[in-house]
């Protein structure tokens, strides 16, 4: 039986590649005897159900995990577990109500979970449950998404990683498209080698329907490109497009709802005016600037001769290749390429002046019947010139005046992606993250290809007799993309429904009008007849949440309420809702957050507290943009000290002097934690467990936040040195060197697990787990440690090992006083930035002397060498 002390489950946020470099070993005595993925796509709306059936073949209870990856753009809409004939279903509730239910189940205080999101297209969902000896559990997860057309095709991405060969493994995909399927291709890791023979494609009804099945044998599951003794590990990527014989688009009506897909291809391309605004500040040094040059050279080669273009580079100064837009002639392009080859990194970042210069270049050279586009590429915050983000957005919006779109490309994770997102949305564009990876230049080229061929401008879609419409106004339509509008029909008795599209093609107005009969027999099978209503709800909620960043006041609240209402009605896990699942544990309570696309961002989090009642599992989302992979890992541990850095009050900004590191210590039963300062510089014993021969030390420098170097030692032969620039691990024989910011790196050996992410490292040595977060503040990088796992019976020492503290606030004294271990200690209410989190939340704490908390001197915790 679990201890009744507070337990916490953290779903750690980490990017797991489809094919990890060091796969997790198959767990003994756990048999995944059936693994099904069933995906039904009806008119681009995909509903996918993942069902895993697992047996505990051990003669005692054990924890069994369920781990799957889902597309970031999807909403989870159902989760259930069936154990010993009893089903535990998830119920989506308003986030605050779900949290209240969680709090009521917590016997002592409330713990917090958290971490971050990194990656590109997938999120990793992981949970677990304790299963009795020789018993079985069935996990079932459902998610929904509207497939988006890019570069002339839709992509359905399915990931399979059961982590052991499965006797009964099946993927079934059924695609139904009313106009017919023009082409279909199956790609991905799971279509290579012997596995290609396990894929079968069947077409029917004049290509109106296609079935793709993937039934690999257990032997085949070990012989693909990314497979091994642990079975399948990779993606199945199904790409397709539909027939487009009607330029007016495809209209479908079902049960009072309609959807209109508009993607004409029979219109001439519009020549464009494009200005590239390229950040060349010092932070773009190295691979970033090289990849940017490569991408620009390729993009310039792809310009059409009747296009006009401009190049602007900026740091603290703005440099124009030419003051005016030039036609993309062969001679001009060669001169431009010579300019691009000489772009070098230097200086600060004046985004305001650079974007305004780009706007001015387009405004000074208007060309009737063309489409103008601004593309900004930057990897950081504005650091010189106008640095107030609100003022920059106001300046840019006023200068553009809704005349053309601004597309913002954020390079890496140091960039303020929220700022770029809002600025682009305010100016009819989108923001896209460019990941610091070996293919960054291809990512840049890929984005440009999506906007390379404008076909229509100023598109307005009208639906007489329609209401509750999704977005109906678009500034540009590009070749290979698609405009989707959905809504409700006000009068279900009408026999026909009319659509009208008004747009501009090469300076001339064009109109597309179509009428369909609403009483025609439906082409939608009965089992999918509600798909259009759910498609409308999905698209409406997505757009309402996207608009939140632009709205203020009552309008923002009204749209938030509408998004919440629809999320609850259709059981979508979004930023506003949580899914609560009762689990047959000894009173556990879990909380999980969907990851955020942004710098660090919040990740899926979970909280667990031990009680005698049934437990609750909460799954919810903290993000509006889902473009990355996430891991919800379940770890149980007791609350330990968290840590932060003091907020120094000064009247001479912006140069803040840092004189100490401030550590945070939660206290059971108290709303405010304690905090204490350790003067800089110092070398501290942060954590030690003599029994397992684990120790962690940290070194801080004068006037700098946090730690510039942290060393972790395990037994006699494992040594890990983490600095702000690199990571070095030595196991007595081999030495591994890793740089921050490179691709996901994993290393597992002899009870040591190392996972290096973009700005985070997860370390497990023996039975102790820590997370090292890499922060950047005022241009200076520093490290911060966080403990996330250790056995309850371990006797930890060190600055972070204190956990048995309590206090009582003494009333009546003029100076705030706390009673701690029969001693009265004077205190002050201060604030602290909690660097355990990437978002560095600020909270209040009672500041007390180091000696009062630790019952020892600082010198007792110092070390001579790391």
């Amino acid at each position: 039986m679990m201890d009744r002390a507070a337990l916490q489950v953290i779903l750690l946020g980490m990017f797991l590649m489809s094919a990890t470099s060091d796969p997790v070993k198959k767990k003994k005595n756990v048999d995944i005897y059936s693994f099904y993925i069933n995906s039904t796509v009806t008119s681009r709306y995909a509903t996918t159900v993942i069902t895993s059936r697992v047996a505990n073949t051990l003669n005692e209870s054990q924890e069994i995990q369920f781990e799957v990856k889902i597309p970031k753009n999807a909403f989870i809409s159902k989760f259930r577990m069936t154990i010993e004939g009893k089903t535990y279903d998830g119920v989506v509730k308003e986030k605050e109500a779900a949290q209240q239910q969680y709090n009521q189940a917590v016997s002592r205080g409330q713990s917090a979970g958290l971490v971050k999101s990194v990656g590109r297209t997938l999120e990793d969902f992981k949970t677990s449950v304790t299963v009795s000896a020789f018993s079985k559990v069935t996990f079932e997860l459902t998610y929904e998404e509207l497939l988006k057309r890019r570069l002339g095709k839709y992509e359905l991405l399915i990931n399979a990683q059961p982590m052991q060969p499965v006797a009964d493994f099946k993927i079934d995909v059924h695609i139904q498209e009313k106009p017919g399927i023009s082409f279909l291709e199956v790609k991905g890791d799971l279509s290579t080698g012997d596995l290609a023979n396990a894929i079968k494609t069947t077409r029917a009804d004049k290509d109106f329907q296609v079935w793709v099945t993937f039934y690999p044998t257990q032997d085949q599951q070990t012989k693909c490109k990314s497979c091994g003794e642990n079975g399948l590990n990779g993606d199945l990527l199904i790409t397709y497009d539909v027939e487009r014989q009607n330029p007016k688009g495809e209209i479908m009506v079902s049960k009072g709802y309609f959807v209109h897909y508009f993607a004409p291809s029979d219109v001439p391309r519009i020549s464009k005016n494009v200005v590239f605004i390229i950040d060349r500040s010092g932070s773009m040094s190295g691979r970033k600037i090289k990849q940017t040059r490569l991408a620009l050279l390729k993009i310039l080669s792809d310009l059409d001769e009747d296009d006009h273009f401009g190049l602007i580079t900026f740091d603290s100064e703005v440099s124009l290749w030419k003051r005016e837009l030039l036609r993309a002639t062969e001679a001009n392009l060669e001169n431009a390429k010579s300019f691009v080859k000489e772009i070098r990194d230097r200086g600060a970042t004046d985004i305001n002046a650079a974007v305004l210069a780009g706007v001015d270049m387009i405004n000074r050279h208007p060309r009737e019947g063309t489409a103008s586009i601004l593309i900004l590429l930057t990897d950081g915050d504005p650091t010189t010139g106008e640095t107030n983000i609100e003022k920059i957005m106001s300046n840019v919006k006023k200068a553009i005046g809704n005349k053309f779109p601004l597309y913002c490309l954020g390079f890496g994770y140091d960039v303020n992606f929220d700022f770029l997102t809002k600025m682009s949305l305010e100016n009819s564009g989108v923001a896209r993250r460019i990941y610091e990876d070996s293919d960054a230049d291809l990512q840049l080229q890929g984005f440009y290809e999506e906007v390379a061929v404008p076909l229509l401008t100023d598109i307005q879609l009208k639906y007489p007799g329609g209401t509750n419409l999704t977005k109906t106004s678009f500034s540009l339509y590009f070749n290979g993309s698609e405009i989707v509008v959905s809504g409700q029909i006000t009068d279900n008795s009408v026999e026909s429904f009319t659509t009208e599209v008004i747009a501009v093609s090469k300076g001339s107005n064009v109109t597309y009008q179509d009428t369909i009969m609403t009483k025609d027999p439906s082409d939608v099978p009965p089992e999918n007849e509600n798909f259009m209503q759910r498609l409308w709800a999905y698209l409406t909620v997505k757009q309402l949440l996207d608009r939140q960043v632009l709205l203020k006041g009552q309008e923002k609240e009204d749209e938030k309420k509408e998004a919440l209402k629809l999320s609850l009605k259709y059981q979508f896990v979004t930023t506003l809702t949580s899914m609560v699942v009762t689990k047959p544990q000894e009173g556990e309570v879990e909380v999980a957050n969907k990851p955020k696309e942004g710098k660090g961002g919040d990740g899926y989090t979970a909280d667990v507290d031990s009680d005698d009642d049934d437990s609750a599992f909460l799954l919810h989302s903290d993000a509006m943009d889902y473009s990355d992979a996430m891991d919800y890992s379940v770890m149980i541990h007791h609350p330990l000290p968290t840590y932060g850095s003091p907020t120094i009050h000064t009247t001479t900004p912006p140069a803040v002097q840092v004189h100490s590191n401030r550590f945070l210590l939660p206290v059971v039963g108290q709303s405010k934690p304690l905090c204490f300062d350790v003067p800089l510089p110092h070398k501290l014993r942060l954590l030690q467990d003599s029994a397992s021969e684990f120790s962690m030390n940290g070194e801080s420098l004068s006037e700098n936040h946090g730690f510039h170097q942290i060393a972790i030692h395990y037994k006699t032969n494992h040594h890990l040195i983490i600095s702000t620039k690199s990571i070095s691990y030595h196991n007595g024989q081999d030495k591994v060197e890793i740089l921050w910011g490179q691709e996901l790196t994993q290393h597992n050996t002899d009870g040591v697990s190392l996972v290096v992410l973009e700005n985070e490292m997860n370390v497990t040595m023996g039975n102790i787990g820590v997370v090292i977060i890499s922060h950047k503040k005022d241009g200076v990088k520093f490290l911060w440690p966080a403990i996330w796992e250790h056995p309850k019976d371990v006797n930890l020492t060190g600055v972070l090992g204190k956990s048995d503290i309590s206090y009582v606030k003494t009333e009546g004294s003029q100076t705030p006083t706390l009673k701690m271990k029969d001693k009265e200690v004077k205190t002050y209410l201060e604030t602290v930035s909690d660097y355990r989190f990437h978002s560095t939340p600020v909270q209040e704490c009672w500041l007390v002397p180091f000696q009062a908390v630790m019952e020892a001197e600082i010198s007792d915790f110092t070390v001579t060498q790391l």
Side-chain angles (χ1 to χ4, degrees):
M1 182 171 179
M2 291 188 182
D3 191 281
R4 289 179 54 88
L7 297 175
Q8 182 182 54
V9 171
I10 294 187
L11 298 185
L12 287 174
M14 63 180 70
F15 170 46
L16 296 182
M17 296 183 294
S18 295
T20 55
S21 57
D22 191 357
V24 180
K25 292 183 179 180
K26 175 182 173 181
K27 188 168 182 179
K28 297 179 180 179
N29 306 115
V30 171
D31 178 29
I32 304 174
Y33 61 91
S34 174
F35 195 94
Y36 288 0
I37 301 178
N38 186 290
S39 187
T40 301
V41 184
T42 305
S43 198
R44 287 71 140 186
Y45 194 70
T47 301
T48 302
V49 182
I50 304 175
T51 306
S52 178
R53 296 177 174 87
V54 190
N56 174 16
T57 60
L58 204 60
N59 62 356
E60 62 182 20
S61 297
Q62 69 166 319
E63 185 180 60
I64 290 181
Q65 291 186 340
F66 171 65
E67 178 181 9
V68 293
K69 294 181 176 65
I70 67 174
K72 291 168 56 166
N73 206 41
F75 286 153
I76 289 174
S77 56
K78 183 179 179 181
F79 178 70
R80 64 166 43 170
M81 295 181 294
T82 302
I83 305 173
E84 297 177 353
K86 185 175 181 181
T87 297
Y88 302 86
D89 272 316
V91 179
V92 173
K93 298 185 177 183
E94 182 178 4
K95 185 173 287 188
E96 288 74 11
Q99 189 67 35
Q100 185 176 6
Q101 177 175 338
Y102 160 73
N103 291 342
Q104 290 172 352
V106 176
S107 58
R108 293 187 181 89
Q110 177 181 335
S111 27
L114 108 44
V115 193
K116 73 164 197 172
S117 164
V118 285
R120 299 192 191 179
T121 57
L122 293 168
E123 293 163 354
D124 195 289
F125 174 80
K126 182 190 291 185
T127 189
S128 65
V129 67
T130 300
V131 178
S132 301
F134 304 117
S135 293
K136 299 177 180 179
V137 57
T138 298
F139 299 99
E140 183 181 306
L141 181 76
T142 302
Y143 61 85
E144 303 175 36
E145 60 178 323
L146 178 63
L147 303 183
K148 189 172 183 178
R149 189 171 187 247
R150 288 193 175 99
L151 300 176
K153 60 189 177 184
Y154 307 97
E155 293 187 347
L156 177 67
L157 179 64
I158 296 174
N159 178 271
Q161 190 180 356
M163 298 317 300
Q164 64 175 253
V166 179
D168 184 18
F169 182 98
K170 293 180 181 179
I171 294 180
D172 287 284
V173 177
H174 183 200
I175 302 174
Q176 307 163 86
E177 294 290 353
K178 186 176 179 180
I181 296 169
S182 61
F183 86 89
L184 182 140
E185 185 179 8
V186 181
K187 301 187 293 185
D189 299 330
L190 302 186
S191 65
T192 61
D194 286 350
L195 287 181
N197 300 322
I199 297 172
K200 182 180 179 182
T201 301
T202 306
R203 293 174 177 256
D205 298 340
K206 297 180 180 180
D207 290 335
F208 165 65
Q209 299 189 74
V210 173
W211 286 265
V212 178
T213 59
F214 178 59
Y215 299 170
T217 64
Q218 280 185 286
D219 184 57
Q220 286 176 318
Q221 292 173 42
T222 64
K223 293 181 179 179
C224 74
K225 177 181 176 182
S226 54
C227 304
E229 63 178 12
N230 296 305
L232 296 173
N233 182 354
D235 300 327
L236 200 65
L237 180 65
I238 300 172
T239 63
Y240 75 94
D241 198 14
V242 300
E243 298 288 354
R244 301 185 186 275
Q245 298 178 356
N246 185 357
K248 302 170 185 178
E250 175 193 348
I251 309 160
M252 295 187 69
V253 175
S254 176
K255 288 194 168 184
Y257 291 84
F258 78 90
V259 62
H260 183 197
Y261 297 101
F262 182 69
S265 57
D266 60 342
V267 291
R269 63 172 296 278
I270 302 173
S271 62
K272 60 184 178 292
N273 314 305
V274 57
V275 176
F276 301 96
I277 307 168
I278 307 300
D279 186 346
R280 65 176 183 201
S281 60
S283 57
M284 287 284 290
S285 64
R287 187 165 69 169
K288 286 184 190 176
I289 202 72
K290 291 178 183 177
Q291 291 174 320
T292 300
R293 287 196 295 262
L294 283 174
L296 277 175
L297 292 173
K298 179 65 170 62
I299 288 169
L300 289 172
S301 296
D302 290 341
L303 289 173
D304 286 289
E305 191 170 352
D306 59 348
D307 289 336
H308 284 63
F309 71 103
L311 293 170
I312 294 175
T313 58
F314 71 97
D315 44 71
S316 55
E317 299 177 353
V318 177
S319 299
L320 279 62
W321 170 58
K322 303 290 182 183
R323 284 187 50 79
E324 65 282 342
L325 294 172
L326 292 186
R327 188 173 177 180
T329 64
E330 185 176 346
N332 286 337
L333 289 174
E334 287 305 313
N335 288 334
K337 290 177 182 178
S338 297
F339 173 80
V340 167
K341 291 174 183 177
E342 297 304 317
I343 296 176
R344 297 291 183 268
D345 54 277
R346 65 179 200 185
T349 310
D350 192 345
I351 292 176
N352 181 71
V355 176
L356 293 181
V359 176
D360 180 65
M361 183 179 288
I362 290 179
N363 285 339
R364 284 189 288 107
H365 302 90
R367 293 197 304 137
E368 189 174 346
T370 62
S372 296
I373 302 170
L374 274 180
I375 299 178
L376 167 69
L377 172 66
T378 181
D379 75 332
D381 289 339
T383 58
T384 189
E386 179 60 70
T387 57
N388 183 292
I389 287 174
E390 293 296 328
K391 182 64 175 174
I392 293 173
M393 289 191 295
S394 174
N395 292 343
V396 171
K397 185 177 181 181
K398 182 179 179 181
I400 292 179
N402 294 319
K403 295 189 291 291
F404 44 81
L406 167 65
Y407 296 100
C408 297
L409 306 180
F411 209 142
Y413 276 92
D414 288 334
V415 70
N416 186 336
F417 198 73
D418 289 341
F419 159 53
L420 296 184
T421 298
K422 187 172 182 179
M423 186 164 65
S424 59
L425 288 175
E426 282 188 338
N427 295 284
S428 304
V430 295
R432 183 78 59 84
R433 187 180 296 283
I434 303 299
Y435 297 91
E436 291 186 53
D437 212 334
S438 59
D439 68 341
D441 55 325
L442 298 179
Q443 295 175 55
L444 289 167
Q445 292 171 39
F447 172 80
Y448 172 74
E449 287 172 5
E450 292 182 38
V451 300
V453 185
L455 297 181
L456 297 173
T457 63
D458 303 320
I459 305 104
Q460 305 293 325
L461 298 99
K462 299 181 179 181
Y463 303 91
T467 187
N468 293 326
L469 305 174
T470 59
K471 183 179 178 182
T472 58
S473 178
F474 301 85
S475 62
L476 281 169
Y477 162 68
F478 297 100
N479 188 41
S481 66
E482 184 173 63
I483 291 174
V484 184
V485 179
S486 186
Q488 295 175 261
I489 298 175
T490 53
D491 185 358
N492 286 329
S493 65
V494 298
E495 295 184 354
S496 63
F497 184 71
T498 299
T499 67
E500 184 180 38
V501 181
I502 301 172
V504 177
S505 171
K506 300 197 75 170
S508 301
N509 289 338
V510 293
T511 301
Y512 299 84
Q513 192 173 55
D514 201 9
T515 300
I516 65 165
M517 304 307 294
T518 61
K519 300 302 181 182
D520 287 347
S522 174
D523 293 313
V524 180
E527 65 268 21
N528 299 327
E529 59 185 8
N530 290 325
F531 93 93
M532 197 173 299
Q533 183 177 347
R534 297 190 69 83
L535 183 159
W536 166 81
Y538 171 96
L539 192 56
T540 300
V541 170
K542 280 280 189 184
Q543 293 180 359
L544 286 170
L545 294 177
D546 285 344
R547 283 204 298 270
Q548 285 287 299
V549 73
L550 300 177
L551 301 179
K552 295 180 181 179
Q554 190 59 45
E555 186 180 10
K556 182 172 184 175
E557 284 302 310
D558 290 344
E559 292 209 357
K560 181 178 178 181
K561 288 179 182 177
E562 181 64 20
L564 173 62
K565 183 176 77 172
L566 291 174
S567 298
L568 293 173
K569 180 177 179 179
Y570 294 94
Q571 293 286 284
F572 292 147
V573 179
T574 69
T575 58
L576 308 176
T577 56
S578 300
M579 180 177 281
V580 183
V581 183
T582 301
K583 292 178 66 176
Q585 307 299 92
E586 292 287 344
E588 287 187 354
V589 175
E590 297 185 357
V591 180
N593 298 338
K594 191 174 178 75
K596 178 179 180 180
E597 165 62 27
K599 184 179 179 181
D602 288 338
Y604 284 92
T605 68
D607 294 299
V608 173
D609 251 286
S610 179
D611 206 309
D612 286 336
D613 300 320
D614 280 344
S615 67
F617 169 83
L618 276 71
L619 172 66
H620 52 99
S621 163
D622 280 337
M624 288 179 289
D625 188 338
Y626 311 112
S627 35
D628 286 344
M630 187 71 198
D631 174 29
Y632 310 54
S633 307
V634 180
M635 300 293 176
I636 298 179
H637 69 287
H638 293 276
L640 282 169
T642 57
Y643 355 91
S645 179
T647 301
I648 309 295
H649 302 285
T650 174
T651 57
T652 58
V656 177
Q657 295 292 312
V658 182
H659 300 293
S660 61
N661 276 329
R662 179 162 293 172
F663 294 80
L664 214 61
L665 182 60
V667 178
V668 175
Q670 297 289 354
S671 60
K672 287 187 175 61
L674 298 175
C675 53
F676 57 89
D677 290 343
V678 179
L680 297 173
H682 51 238
K683 288 183 182 178
L684 294 177
R685 184 170 71 253
L686 297 173
L687 194 67
Q688 184 170 354
D689 173 30
S690 300
S692 66
E693 299 180 76
F694 174 95
S695 66
M696 178 170 67
N697 304 321
E699 181 177 18
S700 297
L701 301 177
S702 298
E703 300 184 357
N704 283 346
H705 292 277
F707 299 87
H708 87 101
Q709 189 166 274
I710 292 175
I712 302 177
H713 307 283
Y714 177 54
K715 297 188 175 177
T716 58
N717 57 328
H718 297 280
H719 306 284
L720 178 65
I721 307 297
I722 308 167
S723 74
T724 55
K725 294 182 179 180
S726 62
I727 299 158
S728 175
Y729 169 68
H730 193 274
N731 64 3
Q733 295 179 343
D734 303 320
K735 188 172 184 180
V736 179
E737 296 286 345
I738 306 167
L739 296 177
W740 287 106
Q742 66 184 47
E743 295 180 2
L744 166 78
T745 303
Q746 288 185 277
H747 184 85
N748 292 289
T749 180
D750 299 333
V752 174
S753 173
L754 310 177
V755 181
V756 183
L757 311 172
E758 181 75 23
N759 293 306
E760 172 184 317
M761 182 173 190
N762 300 311
V763 181
T764 302
M765 292 189 175
N767 52 20
I768 296 178
V770 297
V771 178
I772 309 298
I773 307 292
S774 175
H775 287 282
K776 187 176 182 180
K777 186 170 183 179
D778 301 326
V780 179
K781 290 186 177 181
F782 62 92
L783 306 173
W784 209 263
I787 306 170
W788 58 269
E789 181 189 20
H790 81 102
K792 62 183 180 180
D793 56 351
V794 167
N795 181 27
L796 295 177
T797 59
V799 174
L800 308 182
K802 194 73 172 177
S803 60
D804 58 346
I805 194 71
S806 63
Y807 74 81
V808 177
K809 189 173 182 295
T810 303
E811 302 295 337
S813 175
Q814 290 183 341
T815 302
T817 304
L818 304 180
K819 191 170 184 179
M820 301 170 57
K821 294 196 174 182
D822 298 325
K823 294 181 180 179
E824 291 192 349
V825 179
K826 291 183 179 180
T827 185
Y828 300 93
L829 195 59
E830 289 285 343
T831 58
V832 60
S833 295
D834 191 349
Y835 287 119
R836 180 186 59 170
F837 301 93
H838 287 281
S839 56
T840 62
V842 176
Q843 60 175 300
E844 291 184 329
C845 61
W846 291 114
L847 181 62
V848 296
F850 178 94
Q851 294 82 355
V853 176
M854 306 303 294
E855 300 178 279
E857 298 296 326
I858 293 177
S859 59
D860 296 327
F861 294 86
T862 59
V863 295
T864 56
Q865 53 184 330
L866 293 182

